[in-house]
Amino acid sequence: MAAAQGRLSDGAGEMDDAKEGDLDADTAPLPFRAAVDALRSARLRPQIEIEPTRAPQRLAPFAYALEAAVVDGEEDLADGRLVLLHDPAGHDAWQGSFRLVTLVRAELEPEMAADPLLPDVCWSWLTGALQARGLSYGEASGTVTRASSHYFGGMSERPAASQIEIRASWTPRESLGGVPDTASHLASWCDLLAQIAGLPPAGPGDASVVTLPQRRGPQSR
């Protein structure tokens, strides 16, 4: 699975300057350990493969990262990275002591990428996924970027390709004990991944969800 690359909001452009995301139980505060344990125990839909990855070093005193791919057979339909940041002293820009930062990306049909409403729709998928699970959050920010590639010369036989990227961060509200419901936030993030990959709704209650059509020729893993 390809790790997500790129600059994220709130300084997460430094995500590539990272270390292995193993949790140091001796130094990490209890709320952060509990939040990470919840991420590790979350149950997700089977089309999504998820695993720990390297976490950034300089964004917060404590960080834990996951990367995921939406998989159909041996093909990746979408991928992304989710990073949990924690500063026990709090952070003015976050308005809290935890922050979730993400990059999600998928390839699209070129005609879909040309839709002028696509960025607004994709951003609404992120906020809608959080709201659909009744999650409380704040200070959401980010970008939706679409790009197209056209091939020439010796590569001219390759069809044009378009890609959508959602880069975002938000503050999960903390419950009793100062720990956010990170398992539900992870599930909402996976809902976003499934939507951008063009998967059908997970259950009857999600029938109103509109997803992107699956892109032409999923990328080989």
Side-chain angles (χ1 to χ4, degrees), residues 46-84:
Q47 298 93 336
I48 297 178
E49 294 184 355
I50 194 163
E51 61 187 9
T53 188
R54 298 184 300 170
Q57 298 183 59
R58 296 180 294 184
L59 299 180
F62 303 95
Y64 183 79
L66 297 167
E67 65 179 5
V70 181
V71 178
D72 180 13
E74 291 298 315
E75 312 296 343
D76 287 358
L77 303 179
D79 64 57
R81 181 182 292 181
L82 183 69
V83 179
L84 175 68

Side-chain angles (χ1 to χ4, degrees), residues 86-123:
H86 179 53
D87 186 341
H91 194 292
D92 290 341
W94 303 352
Q95 294 296 300
S97 62
F98 285 90
R99 189 75 171 171
L100 286 163
V101 185
T102 187
L103 168 62
V104 172
R105 62 187 179 185
E107 290 189 22
L108 307 173
E109 293 284 356
E111 54 269 24
M112 281 296 300
D115 187 339
L117 297 179
L118 184 63
D120 298 280
V121 170
C122 288
W123 183 255

Side-chain angles (χ1 to χ4, degrees), residues 21-53:
D22 294 335
L23 184 62
D24 187 345
D26 294 329
T27 60
L30 181 59
F32 181 68
R33 297 202 306 261
V36 170
D37 286 343
L39 289 175
R40 289 171 168 171
S41 62
R43 299 184 64 182
L44 309 172
R45 57 189 294 176
Q47 298 93 336
I48 297 178
E49 294 184 355
I50 194 163
E51 61 187 9
T53 188

Side-chain angles (χ1 to χ4, degrees), residues 148-208:
S148 297
S149 298
H150 300 265
Y151 301 94
F152 301 93
M155 303 174 67
S156 61
E157 293 184 0
R158 297 181 60 177
S162 298
Q163 186 178 72
I164 191 78
E165 291 185 348
I166 303 173
R167 310 174 190 183
S169 62
W170 65 95
T171 298
R173 295 306 183 203
E174 299 160 18
S175 57
L176 294 177
V179 182
D181 185 359
T182 50
S184 293
H185 281 270
L186 174 59
S188 293
W189 181 70
C190 288
D191 292 342
L192 170 66
L193 268 175
Q195 282 185 271
I196 199 171
L199 291 186
D206 299 325
S208 62

